[in-house]
Amino acid sequence: MRPFTPYTFGTMSLGRNPADVAQDLIVARRAIEAGVWFHSSPTYNNGFTFMVLRQAFDENRARVPRMVIKVRDASVPLMRFEVEDSCRRLGLDTIDVAQLVSMDPRPGNLVDQLRGGGGPLVDELASLRSRGLIRQAVLFLTPENSDAAVEATTSGLIEGVILYWNACQRDCSDTAWATIREKGIAALALRTLGGGPSDKPSSAKSEDLTELIKVAGCHNATEFNLRLAASEPAIQTTIGGTASLAHLEDYLKAATDAAPLSAEILQRVEQLQVRKE
């Protein structure tokens, strides 16, 4: 895959108050200045996230960051529209990495077509790539689709996978994760949880995570999760979202020369990730 920065700026918190985006623009400008990749979606905050990004990008088109953008793929018209509309709204010539969200769980979906050797969605993906609107693509993993999606990475149209992955969460099957590691499939980590667990299953593990952070000698969860990503060869970048300038600075600092965690800590993390609640 294209080389990523260790930390990718998640933009999902930008544009929550479209009447006043001054602070959001300050955060976006700082992330642009830092030279990190961006991750976004045309649907974040009813589209107002893209509004903030377009304003920031138009200030200096020469500094527009490389981007991972969510692309919904339930039908040919939807996938084509998402790609073309994202490029138009952000003023981009191409999407560096399209996150294909695998939104249709029914048989015959994009993953099935990729595995089966073809179909209208595969043809459209190939067309979008040949048109230069998508440079590379990753498939979004869930525990239910991960085995099939990992198999689909051999299609020639998919460069890797993207999944929720952090100290408390790994949203794919044990078999899929083993294959990712064995075959060196590029993986992008969502939901870095720089501020700690945010969903119910992860929150149930908060005490264990707090202990691990302390044992590892990390100052906070942000540092711990960036070091965790640096410890896993499959992870190309870890995506953490924020609208706080101070929190963004924490991410940027933690991503600079992040030292891998010890083997003992990593073993305990793996137990935490797969533990059934």
Side-chain angles (χ1 to χ4, degrees), residues 66-79:
R66 291 180 177 178
M67 296 199 70
V68 181
I69 297 180
K70 287 186 182 180
V71 173
R72 284 148 188 83
D73 52 24
S75 69
V76 167
L78 179 59
M79 182 161 59

Side-chain angles (χ1 to χ4, degrees), residues 195-257:
S198 63
D199 60 354
K200 190 172 286 187
S202 295
S203 294
K205 306 172 184 179
S206 59
E207 290 186 7
D208 292 326
L209 177 59
T210 299
E211 180 189 355
L212 275 181
I213 292 170
K214 182 178 180 181
V215 172
C218 296
H219 294 91
N220 51 38
T222 301
E223 179 185 351
F224 184 85
N225 279 291
L226 269 294
R227 288 184 62 187
L228 175 62
S231 306
E232 176 52 62
I235 300 297
Q236 306 296 300
T237 189
T238 183
I239 301 163
T242 185
S244 162
L245 186 60
H247 194 190
L248 174 61
E249 294 292 356
D250 284 345
Y251 273 124
L252 296 173
K253 181 180 178 181
T256 302
D257 299 323

Side-chain angles (χ1 to χ4, degrees), residues 23-260:
Q23 182 61 31
D24 288 347
L25 284 169
I26 289 172
V27 174
R29 290 182 192 119
R30 176 67 184 105
I32 291 171
E33 175 189 300
V36 297
W37 279 63
F38 278 41
H39 174 275
S40 197
S41 168
T43 62
Y44 284 161
N45 296 308
N46 297 314
F48 287 113
T49 295
F50 267 25
M51 180 189 75
V52 174
L53 294 179
R54 180 60 187 259
Q55 290 183 50
F57 294 172
D58 281 351
E59 292 176 356
N60 187 349
R61 299 303 303 185
R63 294 291 303 273
V64 172
R66 291 180 177 178
M67 296 199 70
V68 181
I69 297 180
K70 287 186 182 180
V71 173
R72 284 148 188 83
D73 52 24
S75 69
V76 167
L78 179 59
M79 182 161 59
R80 183 186 305 141
F81 176 82
E82 288 264 288
V83 172
E84 294 176 343
D85 189 57
S86 292
C87 289
R88 177 185 61 82
R89 289 169 62 192
L90 294 174
L92 304 176
D93 294 326
T94 186
I95 294 174
D96 295 287
V97 176
Q99 174 188 330
L100 300 167
V101 299
S102 309
M103 67 184 299
D104 186 358
R106 296 171 298 180
N109 59 21
L110 175 60
V111 171
D112 284 350
Q113 290 183 30
L114 287 165
R115 293 168 65 216
L121 290 169
V122 170
D123 292 342
E124 182 59 30
L125 177 58
S127 173
L128 291 166
R129 294 188 61 140
S130 68
R131 292 169 60 193
L133 295 179
I134 293 176
R135 285 181 177 160
Q136 295 186 319
V138 293
L139 289 171
F140 177 66
L141 299 189
T142 66
E144 294 75 25
N145 84 341
S146 57
D147 290 322
V150 166
E151 182 183 337
T153 61
T154 62
S155 66
L157 291 171
I158 303 297
E159 279 74 26
V161 297
I162 186 168
L163 72 161
Y164 290 131
W165 187 95
N166 53 70
C168 298
Q169 186 177 19
R170 192 195 69 205
D171 272 10
C172 67
S173 71
D174 292 345
T175 301
W177 185 242
T179 302
I180 288 168
R181 282 176 151 177
E182 178 186 350
K183 297 187 179 298
I185 297 171
L188 315 184
L190 286 163
R191 193 175 284 168
T192 301
L193 302 185
S198 63
D199 60 354
K200 190 172 286 187
S202 295
S203 294
K205 306 172 184 179
S206 59
E207 290 186 7
D208 292 326
L209 177 59
T210 299
E211 180 189 355
L212 275 181
I213 292 170
K214 182 178 180 181
V215 172
C218 296
H219 294 91
N220 51 38
T222 301
E223 179 185 351
F224 184 85
N225 279 291
L226 269 294
R227 288 184 62 187
L228 175 62
S231 306
E232 176 52 62
I235 300 297
Q236 306 296 300
T237 189
T238 183
I239 301 163
T242 185
S244 162
L245 186 60
H247 194 190
L248 174 61
E249 294 292 356
D250 284 345
Y251 273 124
L252 296 173
K253 181 180 178 181
T256 302
D257 299 323

